[in-house]
Amino acid sequence: MQPIRKTLKNILTLRHLDLLADVAELGSFSAAAEKEALSQPAVSQQIRALETFFGLRLIERSGRHMRPTEAGRVVLAGAGRIRDEVEAMQEAVQPFRAGRAGRVRIGTGATACIYLLPPILGALKRRMPGLECTVRTGNSPEIRRLVEENALDLGLVTLPAPGRSLEVTPIFDEDLVAVFPAAEAPAGPMTAAALAARPLVLYEDAGHTRLLIDGWFAAAGLQPKPVMELGSVEAIKEIVGAGLGWSVLPAASVRPGKAGGLGAVPLEPRLGRSLGLVLRRDKRLTAGLREVIAALRAGLRG
C-alpha cells in the first residue's frame, strides 16, 4: 500500500482535478491555462500526469475543442464528489455564519440569467455578502448534464427535465409571446398562421424552448423556416428591433419599459413554459446551497 499512497500524494491533487474540469468546460488547454494563470505546457503536463495515474486517456479532441472521454467524465463526476467532501470538512470545522457561506454553482438559460436571477441573487448577496454564487448559461439539456456530472450544484431549466439521478421541482411558469418591431404592432394576439407569414428570428434548435415553439406551429399544421436562428435572446431582440423579423420569446425578456423598440402580444392559442430547479438526488445541501434554493423559490414564486 505504501507505493500507492506515495503516488496519490505526489500526483493526484485537487489542482489536477480542477485543471481537468477547466479543460473539459472551456474546451482547450490554452483557455484553461489563461483562466488559471499558467502556461499551456504546464496545463498539458499536469493533465498527462493525471492520465498516467489512471492509465487512461481522459481528454480527447473533438473538432476544434477538447472533450472528456467516457473515462474522463467518470473522473470529473468523482472530482465533484471530492469537492463536496472538502466543503463538508470546511463546514464541520467552521460552523456556518453570515459572511462565510461558501460557493454555489448555478446553471440556467440566458433569459433567466439576464431577466430573473439578478434581483434575486443581488438581494441574497446583500443579505449574505460571503456567499459566492457563480452562474453558467447554456441550453437545458447541457445544464441538466452538468448537474448530473456534479459540475454544477443547481440548475434552473425549462421543463420537462428527465433524469433518474435528478430531483426536479417546478417553480415558475411564464408565457411565450410574439415579439415585433414597435412600428408593426398587430391588432391583437398572433395566431400561428399569422406569425408564420412573417420573417421569423428564432432560438437555435438545441433547447427545450425552441421545441415548444416548433410544437406550437406544428399543432396548427405549420413548419415555418426562420430567416435567422440565434442562441442569444439579446441578439434576437436587436435583430427584431432593427425591423428584420418577428420572434417568439419569454414574456420576461420584453417587460414594459425594458423592451426598447419592440412590442409584444400574446399568442393564440396561448403558449407557455415551466421552469424548474434540478439537482442531484444525492446532493449534499450545504448551508449556502439551501439559502440559494430558498431565495429562488421565494423570488420566482412571489
Side-chain angles (χ1 to χ4, degrees):
M1 292 297 294
Q2 188 62 32
I4 295 178
R5 289 176 179 171
K6 183 177 181 180
T7 301
L8 286 170
K9 179 178 179 181
N10 292 343
I11 294 181
L12 185 58
T13 67
L14 292 176
R15 181 66 161 170
H16 286 88
L17 297 175
D18 285 342
L19 287 175
L20 180 66
D22 287 340
V23 173
E25 177 180 346
L26 299 174
S28 72
F29 291 120
S30 58
E34 182 177 353
K35 177 183 176 182
E36 299 294 340
L38 296 171
S39 67
Q40 180 174 336
V43 173
S44 300
Q45 181 180 13
Q46 294 201 46
I47 296 299
R48 284 197 300 271
L50 195 58
E51 291 178 328
T52 298
F53 173 77
F54 285 105
L56 291 165
R57 289 288 299 276
L58 303 179
I59 293 290
E60 63 184 358
R61 181 168 293 281
S62 176
R64 296 183 178 181
H65 299 284
M66 305 301 294
R67 294 286 184 265
T69 62
E70 185 174 352
R73 288 191 290 271
V74 171
V75 172
L76 287 169
R81 293 192 293 272
I82 290 171
R83 284 192 292 269
D84 283 346
E85 289 301 320
V86 171
E87 290 177 4
M89 288 187 288
Q90 289 176 326
E91 283 200 328
V93 300
Q94 183 177 325
F96 171 80
R97 60 181 182 271
R100 297 181 181 179
R103 177 172 177 256
V104 177
R105 303 162 297 168
I106 306 168
T108 192
T111 305
C113 182
I114 296 171
Y115 300 104
L116 300 179
L117 291 189
I120 297 172
L121 297 184
L124 185 60
K125 184 67 174 180
R126 290 189 293 272
R127 182 166 60 87
M128 302 178 65
L131 178 61
E132 179 189 358
C133 292
T134 64
V135 181
R136 171 169 178 166
T137 61
N139 60 51
S140 292
E142 177 187 9
I143 296 301
R144 189 175 69 243
R145 174 180 61 79
L146 291 172
V147 171
E148 288 178 326
E149 293 175 356
N150 224 14
L152 292 172
D153 301 307
L154 178 69
L156 176 63
V157 302
T158 304
L159 301 181
R164 292 183 178 180
S165 66
L166 296 178
E167 178 181 327
V168 182
T169 305
I171 196 172
F172 181 71
D173 294 321
E174 68 174 335
D175 286 338
L176 298 177
V177 295
V179 180
F180 49 84
E184 301 179 24
M190 291 294 291
T191 64
L195 195 53
R198 309 278 183 167
L200 292 177
V201 183
L202 298 180
Y203 286 112
E204 293 176 339
D205 59 3
H208 283 176
T209 301
R210 174 61 188 274
L211 291 175
L212 289 173
I213 295 169
D214 288 346
W216 182 76
F217 279 112
L222 298 170
Q223 190 177 6
K225 295 182 179 180
V227 295
M228 296 187 199
E229 296 177 298
L230 304 173
S232 163
V233 64
E234 288 301 301
I236 292 174
K237 288 169 60 177
E238 288 292 328
I239 294 296
V240 173
L244 300 177
W246 289 45
S247 189
V248 177
L249 294 174
S253 66
V254 283
R255 288 173 177 167
K258 297 184 179 180
L262 303 176
V265 295
L267 298 174
E268 179 62 45
R270 174 186 174 273
L271 176 62
R273 69 172 186 170
S274 296
L275 301 182
L277 296 180
V278 296
L279 69 160
R280 287 173 60 103
R281 294 184 184 277
D282 61 356
K283 186 69 176 178
R284 189 180 64 85
L285 296 182
T286 65
L289 182 54
R290 287 194 297 269
E291 291 290 340
V292 170
I293 292 173
L296 290 173
R297 285 175 172 168
L300 294 176
R301 287 177 174 169

